[in-house]
Amino acid sequence: MLVVMQEGATEAQIQKIVGRLMEDGFDVHRSSGVVHTVLGGVGGKSHFDTGIISVMDGVKEVHRIVSPYKLAARAFKPEGSIIKIGDVEIGGDKVVVMAGPCSVENRDQIERSADIVAEGGAKIMRGGAFKPRSSPYSFQGLGEEGLQMMRAAADRRRLLVISEVMDAVQIPLLAAYSDILQIGARNMQNFTLLRELGKIRKPVMLKRGPAATVEELLLSAEYFMSGGNYDVILCERGIRTFENYTRNTFDVSAIPVVQKLSHLPIVGDPSHGTGRRDMVPSMARAAVAAGADGIIMEVHHDPDHAFSDGAQSLFPEQYYELMGQLRLIATAVGKSI
Ligand code: PEP
Ligand code: MN
């Protein structure tokens, strides 16, 4: 940790900081410049709250040098993680596409969805059976029946399945039917749920919370990994900003940021990232160009009558066209779909 003292900080203030750092096990190295004194704290607790120092008298700023997450940090696996599920690899030089409806609605819809998803060349089918809806009166999902239907449809077209787990009690059910367990944006900081998912040995995909920083996303990923579940995929799905033309602001820059800070694969979700079907293709293209390890997007055979997220669901033809474009962009950045 680096503590930069204010111009004119007194010796007593400096000594107080030195003492406080030593109390927590830091070795303190002092460098007195003409204007500022800088204190370097080495060792000590990795989870030390730097805020304690930043509010002490005479302190200008405090910088953490060691990242607060360890297992999710790039340094833990500099070559990057590849998550293998059957013959699908997430990470490395592939761009994996996950596509499907927002929700599983009925057997006919999910069977049609499987055909559309497979036709376009995606390897993984998405679809929620437990839906986190802003209103309790909106469609909440079909639960286990929906999972059964999706598994059958996906198996028929040899697709993998990703579906959301909203609560710890649903984990056994999701683990039985789904190849990847999705943790929704609203649950990114549901630490009890994250800890429970650290105990299973199934891939999880963690979506970034609408108001979460990348550091917070990586700290949440650390919950799975510290429990022994290393098969973690991250997902940028848009954050809440003051812009309200789109549902969320799709943070494309989070993709290279995550890749610099972490070895975990990062997937872009342009559907929730924009909330608008007319903006999804451009943001999907941007995510692949930015180096995303995958894309998750919503597609529906009849989006105008979808039970949830119809406005951001692509028509099948749009999805087919977009897949062709994503293949070209993937090639341009040295990857393949
Ligand atoms: C979803 O994938 O349908 C979903 C609810 O996503 P998010 O958690 O990102 O809002
Ligand atoms: Mn959705």
Side-chain angles (χ1 to χ4, degrees):
M1 177 187 344
L2 277 185
V3 183
V4 182
M5 301 301 296
Q6 284 167 358
E7 192 175 346
T10 65
E11 187 56 29
Q13 288 171 335
I14 294 170
Q15 285 309 324
K16 205 160 174 194
I17 306 295
V18 172
R20 184 65 188 81
L21 289 174
M22 287 172 70
E23 225 176 87
D24 269 274
F26 289 95
D27 279 336
V28 183
H29 301 260
R30 178 173 174 164
S31 152
S32 296
V34 185
V35 183
H36 296 288
T37 293
V38 177
L39 303 173
V42 182
K45 293 183 194 156
S46 63
H47 53 275
F48 183 79
D49 179 4
T50 53
I52 287 178
I53 302 293
S54 61
V55 296
M56 287 176 73
D57 289 343
V59 173
K60 182 167 183 275
E61 53 204 51
V62 182
H63 302 277
R64 196 186 274 285
I65 299 170
V66 180
S67 61
Y69 44 85
K70 303 279 169 241
L71 303 172
R74 171 62 71 173
F76 184 70
K77 206 169 183 190
E79 72 279 16
S81 279
I82 297 179
I83 311 234
K84 296 188 179 72
I85 315 166
D87 56 2
V88 174
E89 292 188 350
I90 306 174
D93 55 8
K94 290 272 187 249
V95 177
V96 174
V97 180
M98 311 177 189
C102 179
S103 315
V104 183
E105 299 169 5
N106 53 56
R107 193 172 297 280
D108 176 59
Q109 173 248 16
I110 204 69
E111 288 291 343
R112 282 173 185 236
S113 298
D115 288 335
I116 296 163
V117 171
E119 209 75 21
K123 299 275 194 294
I124 304 175
M125 175 153 77
R126 62 146 292 143
F130 295 98
K131 296 304 302 176
R133 306 305 302 278
S134 300
S135 163
Y137 309 117
S138 302
F139 177 60
Q140 304 286 307
L142 297 181
E144 181 168 8
E145 202 191 346
L147 289 171
Q148 273 169 354
M149 288 177 191
M150 183 156 64
R151 185 75 258 175
D155 285 347
R156 182 174 60 77
R157 295 306 308 245
R158 296 176 171 280
L159 297 164
L160 294 177
V161 166
I162 178 167
S163 199
E164 177 163 354
V165 57
M166 280 178 62
D167 190 281
V169 298
Q170 298 160 356
I171 294 175
L173 211 51
L174 267 297
Y177 290 105
S178 189
D179 300 292
I180 306 173
L181 277 63
Q182 172 177 322
I183 298 86
R186 294 157 191 79
N187 266 327
M188 192 204 86
Q189 290 186 315
N190 180 343
F191 302 120
T192 7
L193 174 63
L194 304 186
R195 218 182 265 290
E196 288 303 312
L197 289 162
K199 295 179 187 163
I200 64 166
R201 295 295 172 264
K202 271 230 143 172
V204 289
M205 187 178 85
L206 178 66
K207 297 187 103 179
R208 180 182 182 184
T213 62
V214 170
E215 182 170 297
E216 286 164 338
L217 174 69
L218 296 177
L219 278 166
S220 288
E222 196 81 8
Y223 271 86
F224 307 124
M225 303 181 80
S226 59
N229 187 356
Y230 288 88
D231 287 339
V232 181
I233 303 155
L234 303 172
C235 177
E236 163 57 40
R237 48 77 75 201
I239 49 175
R240 186 163 286 193
T241 67
F242 50 81
E243 178 53 66
N244 58 13
Y245 188 78
T246 46
R247 180 178 177 187
N248 291 292
T249 297
F250 186 57
D251 182 7
V252 186
S253 67
I255 294 163
V257 171
V258 165
Q259 287 175 335
K260 187 177 171 76
L261 299 178
S262 177
H263 56 86
L264 297 172
I266 171 91
V267 164
D269 176 348
S271 307
H272 296 86
T274 61
R276 300 179 51 111
R277 178 188 309 137
D278 54 346
M279 307 272 154
V280 169
S282 49
M283 288 300 101
R285 293 190 296 258
V288 175
D293 297 293
I295 295 291
I296 182 164
M297 57 184 161
E298 292 180 342
V299 56
H300 195 284
H301 72 279
D302 182 11
D304 294 339
H305 295 97
F307 288 11
S308 59
D309 287 351
Q312 65 192 35
S313 299
L314 298 178
F315 285 98
E317 290 308 324
Q318 279 182 300
Y319 159 66
Y320 300 144
E321 188 186 351
L322 177 57
M323 285 298 282
Q325 296 169 344
L326 297 184
R327 279 191 194 94
L328 293 173
I329 297 170
T331 311
V333 296
K335 296 192 177 197
S336 63
I337 290 190

